[in-house]
Amino acid sequence: MSSDNRWLRSARLELAYFSGRALLASRATRGAGAILRFERVRPRRKDAFQPLKRSEITPAFLDKVIRALKRWGYDIVSLDEACERSVRLPESRQFACLTFDGGAKDLITHAYPVLARHGVPFTAYVPTAFPDGLGEAWWLALEAVTAREARINLVIDHREQRFSVFKPAEKAELYAYLFAWLRKLPPAELSGAIRDLCSRHGFDLSALTRETSMDWADISRLAADPKVTIGSATVHYPVLAHLKDADAQREIAMGKAVLETALRRPVRHMAYPFGDRDSFRRSDVVLAEQAGFVSAATAIGGVVQSEGRTDLHMLPRIAWDGRSRSLRALKVLMAGVTLPRQKFAPRPELDLG
């Protein structure tokens, strides 16, 4: 989302709050509650180039969110209880459920101290190849290479491509372009492409992934806390929509099996990697149910309804944009207010060569 579009969306959420639309919506169409989706939690950085800032919040903001949820009268519940409430009659108080995607090291170093201090339950979705040191955090490697290099070379569609990017805005444009291209590749081709990029520019992909991911000791520490639910995010965190059904089934089932073996307990919940509408198919929803998961979470926005009106294997979540610090906007989204999509004129392509 461009900065102009993001500003407009933020302004419209603020307007919905001050106009009372959020209050009216919560009375008329209130759901059972909302599941919040976060990714990285770490202190604010001053770097001009931060293409993944939308996926980050600070520990201080996490603290403010929890305090606000308590102040607003939400019951902060485990994912198991959220699923139970979704099939019951509406209750007087709505729930809020906190979830964290990706298995990032930040969860144990920066988020967990805040969550433990408040004594609130939460869910961590783990892709099991990452604590084993076998995953590839290609989106972080792409960010690191783009941040460090002014000239970037790689092969795209069998053609050698060269990009010159000196300014932060140029780097951001290139990152968005390469991220979109990489995400569309089948997993084997994606792995080959990011390894080639890192090799050309002398970057250690494996070391970056190990440094930024929780290891099994971290996960065991979380699992020992009765307020923490460990869920699966498959094995290698692929875009499931790009896999054959047999490969998707293996990723989903093996992610569950590896966690259950490591933790010696049932793993009841999973999250679709990336979780947007383009990242998984209806067949993947069926596979998640067949694998024995009680729920499977998406990154598709929305609130959870009561009386079984929400498909537990397509749980909506409110994915918070770390560039926004407005608790008012969060309150509007949690009230179930949906804003119609705006149509914007396409942006001209930049010459990155």
Side-chain angles (χ1 to χ4, degrees):
M1 182 184 294
S2 71
S3 59
D4 289 344
N5 296 356
R6 178 168 53 86
W7 180 89
L8 182 57
R9 174 178 168 79
S10 178
R12 293 165 70 216
L13 288 170
E14 295 281 334
L15 179 61
Y17 175 87
F18 285 112
S19 68
R21 185 177 170 189
L23 179 61
L24 292 174
S26 65
R27 289 174 176 172
T29 60
R30 69 192 302 269
I35 302 174
L36 302 184
R37 174 183 181 258
F38 302 107
E39 293 180 71
R40 302 195 69 179
V41 180
R42 60 176 177 172
R44 187 171 295 113
R45 297 173 294 148
K46 295 182 179 180
D47 309 59
F49 173 66
Q50 296 187 53
L52 296 174
K53 190 174 181 179
R54 66 185 182 277
S55 302
E56 300 179 7
I57 61 170
T58 65
F61 185 76
L62 177 61
D63 179 76
K64 288 182 180 179
V65 168
I66 296 171
R67 292 179 185 275
L69 293 174
K70 293 177 178 179
R71 187 169 64 249
W72 296 337
Y74 281 88
D75 292 330
I76 303 178
V77 304
S78 68
L79 190 53
D80 279 321
E81 184 171 345
C83 291
E84 290 172 6
R85 289 200 186 194
S86 75
V87 298
R88 298 204 300 247
L89 293 172
E91 301 192 12
S92 59
R93 287 165 61 100
Q94 292 172 290
F95 71 78
C97 183
L98 308 177
T99 65
F100 297 82
D101 282 10
K105 191 79 171 182
D106 308 315
L107 178 57
I108 197 78
T109 56
H110 296 302
Y112 187 49
V114 177
L115 295 158
R117 185 170 66 248
H118 282 283
V120 294
F122 67 93
T123 295
Y125 293 110
V126 177
T128 57
F130 287 69
D132 281 330
L134 302 176
E136 292 179 342
W138 60 266
W139 54 94
L140 299 182
L142 178 62
E143 177 189 32
V145 171
T146 308
R148 191 180 71 181
E149 303 295 332
R151 300 184 186 279
I152 295 175
N153 305 328
L154 74 164
V155 176
I156 299 178
D157 298 331
H158 309 291
R159 294 179 56 191
E160 183 80 16
Q161 300 286 342
R162 295 178 174 84
F163 303 97
S164 297
V165 284
F166 297 94
K167 299 178 181 179
E170 295 171 340
K171 290 177 178 290
E173 196 75 17
L174 178 61
Y175 182 89
Y177 169 72
L178 293 179
F179 181 94
W181 169 67
L182 286 167
R183 233 197 73 154
K184 292 178 181 178
L185 297 178
E189 292 183 28
L190 191 160
S191 179
I194 197 64
R195 288 185 182 188
D196 177 58
L197 176 67
C198 290
S199 176
R200 286 167 179 255
H201 296 282
F203 198 85
D204 193 335
L205 172 61
S206 296
L208 173 69
T209 302
R210 288 193 302 270
E211 292 168 3
T212 55
S213 302
M214 289 192 294
D215 57 30
W216 285 114
D218 297 325
I219 296 168
S220 296
R221 179 185 169 193
L222 291 178
D225 187 334
K227 290 188 176 294
V228 180
T229 299
I230 304 295
S232 172
T234 71
V235 180
H236 296 96
Y237 210 72
V239 176
L240 291 172
H242 297 164
L243 298 180
K244 296 179 180 179
D245 284 348
D247 294 329
Q249 190 275 337
R250 188 178 303 109
E251 279 283 339
I252 291 170
M254 284 301 297
K256 186 176 194 293
V258 171
L259 273 179
E260 290 181 336
T261 299
L263 303 179
R264 299 182 180 180
R265 67 178 67 171
V267 173
R268 295 162 47 84
H269 307 281
M270 75 161 279
Y272 301 104
F274 300 99
D276 56 81
R277 294 182 186 277
D278 296 328
S279 65
F280 66 97
R281 303 155 299 187
R282 183 65 203 180
S283 58
D284 300 317
V285 177
V286 174
L287 290 173
E289 186 172 6
Q290 290 177 343
F293 287 108
V294 172
S295 78
T298 74
I300 300 170
V303 297
V304 177
Q305 300 296 328
S306 58
E307 301 180 84
R309 288 175 291 166
T310 293
D311 186 343
L312 292 182
H313 294 91
M314 282 192 66
L315 279 177
R317 290 188 292 171
I318 295 173
W320 192 246
D321 189 328
R323 297 167 296 187
S324 174
R325 304 172 200 166
S326 171
L327 292 176
R328 293 187 295 268
L330 178 61
K331 190 172 186 179
V332 169
L333 292 173
M334 293 187 68
V337 173
T338 57
L339 300 177
R341 293 183 178 181
Q342 294 291 296
K343 295 182 179 180
F344 300 98
R347 299 177 65 187
E349 293 189 5
L350 297 183
D351 181 6
L352 299 172

